[in-house]
Amino acid sequence: MMEIEKDNMGEKRAYKPRKPGGGRKKLKPEFDAGKNLKEQMESAVAFYDSEMSLQAIADELGLNPIKVRNDVV
């Protein structure tokens, strides 16, 4: 006769806390969105002060004209 193994269904396991610092690692740890935005704003304002149009500034910086308008105003 074959022995029937009992499964673990219904048995509770002890709580095991997670290790700190777990989770997905950052792809670009040196990336700083705030710093990048500040640099974009400074360059957009400098171009705007030199009498460039918003469209020309957007083309120069490779940004959307609406984003340039929001940064400048």
Side-chain angles (χ1 to χ4, degrees):
M1 186 178 234
M2 293 179 58
E3 288 186 30
I4 300 175
E5 291 185 21
K6 218 176 174 184
D7 59 1
N8 290 349
M9 296 208 39
E11 291 183 24
K12 294 193 176 193
R13 291 187 298 164
Y15 177 72
K16 183 178 175 185
R18 294 181 180 212
K19 295 179 184 174
R24 184 178 289 193
K25 303 296 182 216
K26 291 188 175 185
L27 293 176
K28 298 178 181 178
E30 72 281 351
F31 180 78
D32 184 8
K35 186 178 86 174
N36 293 350
L37 180 64
K38 186 176 179 187
E39 289 174 0
Q40 285 180 354
M41 282 179 51
E42 289 172 354
S43 56
V45 169
F47 282 131
Y48 189 74
D49 289 342
S50 67
E51 306 286 326
M52 283 182 79
S53 70
L54 294 177
Q55 184 66 49
I57 295 170
D59 292 341
E60 185 73 28
L61 297 176
L63 297 173
N64 187 323
I66 295 172
K67 180 164 178 57
V68 172
R69 185 188 72 193
N70 292 340
D71 288 347
V72 172
V73 175

